[in-house]
Structure formats: C-alpha cells, structure tokens
C-alpha cells in the first residue's frame, strides 16, 4: 500500500460521537469500545477532550495507557492550558497525537473568538509550536473551514505547517458544504499552500444536510488522505461521517477511487452492534451497510434475481461487513420462487397444488404481520397441508394479581381437551407464570418455555397485544402466537397454540431436522 493511495481512518466516536445526545459512556464502556476500534483497524482514535472535565481527562488517560499500536489523540483548543492538559492525558500512549483547533471563518472570528485575522494566525502558530514541544505528531484543525475565506485558509495552513503541524484538518463543521464545492476547496488549499506536501490533509464532515459521507469521499478523491469519522455516524446534531459507509464505498468502488485503507471490514457490523448496545440506541433498520434491511429482500422481483445470481441486487456480501447471511424476507411482495426456495430450505417438498395453497396462506398472513418468519411458514405447512384438528382449545381465562406481595398471582382456566371440558386453578410467581402453570396441569405436560415476547399490534392504549412463545418438549420445538387486548389472554392463546403444534409434530412423527421450526 503506497503512501499516495493510503487513507488513514481517524475515529472520533469517543469524543465527537459521545457528544451526541444520549450517547454518554462510562469509563468501562469507553475502554471496551476503544479495544474494538483497534480490532477494527482504525489508525487514530480521538479518545476525548481532556480539558473539558476531570472525568474526560481520566478516561483519555486510561485509554492512552491501554492502547496498543493505534495512535491516540486528545482534542484541545489552541490555548496553552488546554494543550498542557491534553498532553498530560495522552503522554502514556505508545503513539500520542495532540489535536488542536482554532476557528478560521470570518463568522467565527468575529462573533465567537472576537479576534482579528492576524491575531488568529499568531494564536494558531503559537499553539502548534507548544504542541510540538511535547510531540512531533500534531494535528491542526481550521474550525469552520468550509465557510472560511480560501486565501486566508491557505495563509493559516502554511503558517501552522511551518510551525510543525503534520496533519491539517479542514472540517465542514456545520455540514454546510456540498460535495463539488468541498472537493474544490480541498484542491485549492493543497495547490495554493506552498508547503502542503509536508502534511497529510484531513476532513471532518458533519451531516446537517445529509452530505457527510459524500463530502468526505469527494475530498478524498480531491487529495485528502485522512477521514475523520464515527461508528454509525453518531455525533453532534445530525451526526458525523459514518465510518462503515466510507470504508465500504472505498472498497466496493475501488475502481473509482483507487484508494486503500486498513479497516477490517468484517468487524464493521460487530463494532456498530457494540456501540448500539453500549449507548442504548438501536441501529436503524434502513441504515446503510449495517442496518437490519441492508441485506434483506422482500420484493418478488428482487428475490427472483437474488435466487438466480446474488450480484443482481447485492453489490457486496453480508459476510464482508460481518453479517452472517442475506435475508430473503417473506412478505406480501414475495413471489412463488422465494416461497418455494424457503420451503425447500426448511425441508418441505410440496406439489404445485400444495405450493399454491401455502403461497396464498403466506400472502394472507403477510397482510396481518410485517414479517413472516420460518416458524410461520412451518406452521402454515403443518396446518394447511398436514392438517390435524386442534386437540386443545382455550375457552376462558381469569387472572387475579396483587402488588402487596402477600397473595400470589392466581389464574383460573377453562379449556377443551380432546373434546372434554376441563378446568383448573393455581398460583405462579407472576400472572403469566400462573396462567402457564394451570394450562400445564390441565394438559399434563411441562414443556420448556424457550422464549416469551410481547409486542403491540397497533398504537394507542386499546392496542392488541401480540404474544409469541416458543416451547420445546420431547425433542421438538414449536412457536405459538396469540393476540388479544389483554396480554395475559394473548399469552394463554399463544401457549395453547404452541402446545397444539407440538402435538401435531409428535403425531406426524416429524423428522428431527425440522426441530428449528
């Protein structure tokens, strides 16, 4: 990998990313994410802003001491006290970097700094020289570069490079720039700064107008060689440039960019999942590269193309970003080919007539629920093709609970079992446990409850609750579902539904290869 086409990834998830509302992390969480950034192959991680608080200082210091060969950067304003504090925090890293910044736009100089341009140049030079007194690895950021006068920007950049800065960051601080003009700014500064060859040019783009990734890629094509990014694009306001999107764009479109990097793309999805779990903010389903729908196909036309040749509708493999497989989603848009493929993968060899019956049943079910699961398909085959009348029917459920703790939850259940009316009552640790215990007593079974989930079918306080249970008994597993405005009744219906499916599998003598159904 030559220096000319090498892109360095500077990750600021731990600094700018943590400034995203609700994304605060404690020390243990920051250390765990920092380790993952090294596994991911990030070149430089910005660990925090040491002068901002004692807690941030301690976190940066701990990350620096833990880090391996990755460069660890600390952010500081271009003032002596900030720079000194930054160095104190990162000095124990194997490869420390001081990242100092100062605004260069007329707007910021007038209203925020309240300084004249000449004074800003002097501050920048003095700040960089102070940084160089600690380390030769110094990055200078011209805050609000995209709204700065280009000739003044060149003047500042030339001065700080002469002062010892080895990386120059030209950020689109407020996400204002558009790809063409941002690329042109990068070209202009590199071409019109006499000593530009002595520094690596970097970009840090925000996403206020949705152009963060586009601006970053345009800048890299124009000559920048460091991309400042965050995992999943988290950060101030609308966020930052997304690490995973830039990394995969450069990999998938290597023919266009001709640039290389050290990111281990198979770690992209695990890294995004770790961040999502850490900050409690799930990855949006439609998020590029790592969202749940990124490798999911429901349209019949798309599914048909995918089954014939993957590259018809996928430009990268799910495995290349750390996902396990493509997801052919069965829904109301699915075609017969996709449904037939799914049935065959589940071990069912149906005639054309049987396939038509299952196809129509899946379509009807898809009108009622967003996603048809493998368990749904198996249940439809069992109920529509290998139908045996239910031997267990739920007639009525009554539950009594109290928050006093003195009286345990009590359930009474009325059922038909093999045509006979049966009833029972009993206790449980909770209301759901009581209902399931009584049903087990009546049917004289004690299956293992592997999962129990509740979802609202619609919004509002009158929404129906949809309960899904998964039972396992005698080597078989079955999923049951039930819905009702009362989630306890819905749970009872789901439990009975699963019991009936278990019995049907046992009566069919279904082979063990369908245990997952």
């Amino acid at each position: 990998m030559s220096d000319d086409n090498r892109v360095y990834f500077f990750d600021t998830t731990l600094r700018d990313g943590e400034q995203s509302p609700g994304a605060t992390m404690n020390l243990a969480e920051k250390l765990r994410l920092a380790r993952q950034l090294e596994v991911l192959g990030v070149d430089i991680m910005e660990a925090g802003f040491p002068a901002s608080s004692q807690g941030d200082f301690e976190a940066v210091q701990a990350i620096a001491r833990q880090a391996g060969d990755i460069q660890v950067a600390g952010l500081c304003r271009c003032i002596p006290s900030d720079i000194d504090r930054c160095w104190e925090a990162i000095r124990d890293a194997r490869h420390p970097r001081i990242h100092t910044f100062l605004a260069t736009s007329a707007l910021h100089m007038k209203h925020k700094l309240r300084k004249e341009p000449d004074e800003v140049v002097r501050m920048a030079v003095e700040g960089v020289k102070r940084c160089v007194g600690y380390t030769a690895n110094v990055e200078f950021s011209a805050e609000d570069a995209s709204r700065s006068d280009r000739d003044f920007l060149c003047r500042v950049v030339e001065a700080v490079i002469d002062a010892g800065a080895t990386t120059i960051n030209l950020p689109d601080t407020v996400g204002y720039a558009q790809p063409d003009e941002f690329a042109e700014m990068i070209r202009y500064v590199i071409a019109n700064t006499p000593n530009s060859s002595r520094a690596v040019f970097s970009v840090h783009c925000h996403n206020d107008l949705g152009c963060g990734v586009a601006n970053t890629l345009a800048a890299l094509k124009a000559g920048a060689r460091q991309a400042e990014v965050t995992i999943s694009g988290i950060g101030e306001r609308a966020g930052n440039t997304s690490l995973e999107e830039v990394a995969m764009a450069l990999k998938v479109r290597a023919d266009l960019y001709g640039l290389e990097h050290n990111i281990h793309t198979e770690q992209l999805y695990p890294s995004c999942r770790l961040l999502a779990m850490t900050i409690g903010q799930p990855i949006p389903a439609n998020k590029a590269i790592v969202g749940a729908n990124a490798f999911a196909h429901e349209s019949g036309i798309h599914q048909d193309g995918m089954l014939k040749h993957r590259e018809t509708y996928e430009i990268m493999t799910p495995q290349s970003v750390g996902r396990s497989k493509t997801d052919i989603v069965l829904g109301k848009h699915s075609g017969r080919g996709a449904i037939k493929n799914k049935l065959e993968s589940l071990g069912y060899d149906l005639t054309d007539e049987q396939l038509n019956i299952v196809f129509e049943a899946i379509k009807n079910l898809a009108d009622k629920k967003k996603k048809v699961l493998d368990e749904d398909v198996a249940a439809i085959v069992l109920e529509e093709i290998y139908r045996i009348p239910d031997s267990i029917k739920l007639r009525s459920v009554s539950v009594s609970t109290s928050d006093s703790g003195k009286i345990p939850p009590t359930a009474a259940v009325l059922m038909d079992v093999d045509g006979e009316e049966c009833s029972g009552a009993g206790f449980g640790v909770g209301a759901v446990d009581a209902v399931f215990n009584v049903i087990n007593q009546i049917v004289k079974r004690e299956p293992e409850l592997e999962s129990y989930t509740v979802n609202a079918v619609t919004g509002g306080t009158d929404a129906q609750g949809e309960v899904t249970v998964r039972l396992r008994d005698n080597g078989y597993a079955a999923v049951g579902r039930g819905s009702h405005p009362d989630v306890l009744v819905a749970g009872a219906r789901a439990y009975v539904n699963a019991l009936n499916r278990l019995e049907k599998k046992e009566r069919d003598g279904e082979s063990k290869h369908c245990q997952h159904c």
Side-chain angles (χ1 to χ4, degrees), residues 390-398 412-424 435 438-439 442-443 484 488-490 492-497 500:
D390 287 345
S391 61
I392 308 169
K393 296 180 181 179
L394 183 69
R395 293 179 60 182
S396 180
V397 178
S398 177
V413 179
L414 180 63
M415 302 171 61
D416 287 336
V417 181
D418 294 326
E420 295 185 13
E421 182 178 288
C422 302
S423 63
V435 172
V438 175
I439 294 174
I442 294 172
V443 300
H484 192 273
L488 295 176
V489 178
R493 289 182 175 181
Y495 200 84
V496 169
N497 182 233
N500 277 305

Side-chain angles (χ1 to χ4, degrees), residues 242-275:
S242 165
L243 183 154
E244 61 276 10
E245 292 177 27
V246 174
M248 289 309 294
L250 294 179
K251 181 175 181 178
V252 173
R253 296 308 312 274
D255 60 315
L256 178 65
Y257 294 102
L259 300 173
E260 300 176 351
H261 56 74
N262 279 339
I263 296 296
H264 305 307
T265 62
E266 296 81 3
Q267 289 294 323
L268 290 173
Y269 180 67
S271 300
C272 292
R273 282 282 296 152
L274 174 61
L275 176 66

Side-chain angles (χ1 to χ4, degrees), residues 117-169:
D118 288 347
E119 191 173 3
V120 169
V121 175
R122 179 186 59 77
M123 288 177 62
V125 169
E126 289 179 356
V128 168
K129 285 182 176 179
R130 192 176 190 90
C131 295
V132 172
Y134 290 122
T135 176
N137 190 356
V138 176
E139 176 173 342
F140 175 81
S141 283
E143 186 183 9
D144 206 24
S146 59
R147 294 192 294 176
S148 299
D149 176 80
R150 291 184 181 181
D151 291 327
F152 179 68
L153 199 55
C154 292
R155 178 186 170 194
V156 173
V157 170
E158 180 181 8
V160 296
I161 292 175
D162 280 341
T166 53
T167 302
I168 300 297
N169 182 38

Side-chain angles (χ1 to χ4, degrees), residues 297-312:
H297 307 269
E298 183 182 339
S299 165
I301 295 174
H302 286 216
Q303 290 174 341
D304 181 64
M306 283 291 299
L307 294 173
K308 291 174 178 174
H309 196 287
R310 183 192 61 80
E311 291 183 9
T312 53

Side-chain angles (χ1 to χ4, degrees), residues 268-495:
L268 290 173
Y269 180 67
S271 300
C272 292
R273 282 282 296 152
L274 174 61
L275 176 66
M277 290 186 292
T278 300
I279 64 176
Q281 295 180 13
I283 302 170
N286 64 334
K287 175 71 174 66
I289 314 299
V290 294
N293 293 345
F295 294 94
H297 307 269
E298 183 182 339
S299 165
I301 295 174
H302 286 216
Q303 290 174 341
D304 181 64
M306 283 291 299
L307 294 173
K308 291 174 178 174
H309 196 287
R310 183 192 61 80
E311 291 183 9
T312 53
Y313 288 103
E314 280 189 356
I315 59 173
M316 54 194 149
T317 66
Q319 292 79 11
S320 69
V321 301
R323 302 289 294 273
S324 59
K325 62 183 179 65
T326 292
D327 188 10
I328 300 295
V329 180
L330 296 186
K332 64 181 181 180
H333 302 113
S334 297
R336 279 179 171 78
I339 291 175
K340 182 179 180 181
N341 179 266
K342 174 62 71 177
L343 289 166
E344 290 174 350
S345 72
L346 295 174
Y348 297 112
D349 183 16
L350 305 183
T351 66
D352 289 343
E353 182 180 354
Q354 290 173 328
L355 176 61
N356 288 336
I357 294 172
V358 173
F359 177 77
E360 292 302 325
I362 289 176
K363 286 286 190 176
N364 290 334
L365 180 61
D367 284 333
K368 300 173 184 176
K369 65 195 303 279
K370 293 181 179 179
K371 185 177 181 180
V372 179
L373 306 175
D374 289 0
E375 292 89 345
D376 295 313
V377 176
I380 287 173
V381 173
L382 291 173
E383 293 172 10
E384 298 292 337
I385 306 302
Y386 309 117
R387 184 181 315 216
I388 295 176
D390 287 345
S391 61
I392 308 169
K393 296 180 181 179
L394 183 69
R395 293 179 60 182
S396 180
V397 178
S398 177
V399 183
S400 175
T401 62
S402 171
D403 64 355
S404 67
K406 297 178 181 179
I407 304 174
T410 306
V413 179
L414 180 63
M415 302 171 61
D416 287 336
V417 181
D418 294 326
E420 295 185 13
E421 182 178 288
C422 302
S423 63
F427 305 104
V429 176
V432 173
D433 186 50
V435 172
F436 291 179
N437 285 344
V438 175
I439 294 174
N440 285 343
Q441 292 170 15
I442 294 172
V443 300
K444 297 180 174 58
R445 296 189 69 149
E446 291 190 7
E448 177 188 354
L449 178 63
E450 292 190 328
S451 66
Y452 172 89
T453 59
V454 182
N455 291 295
V457 178
T458 59
T461 56
D462 61 347
Q464 283 201 98
E466 183 181 66
V467 175
T468 303
V469 300
R470 184 183 178 95
L471 304 182
R472 184 174 291 277
D473 197 17
N474 296 328
Y476 294 98
V479 171
R481 289 182 177 79
S483 60
H484 192 273
D486 187 328
V487 293
L488 295 176
V489 178
R493 289 182 175 181
Y495 200 84

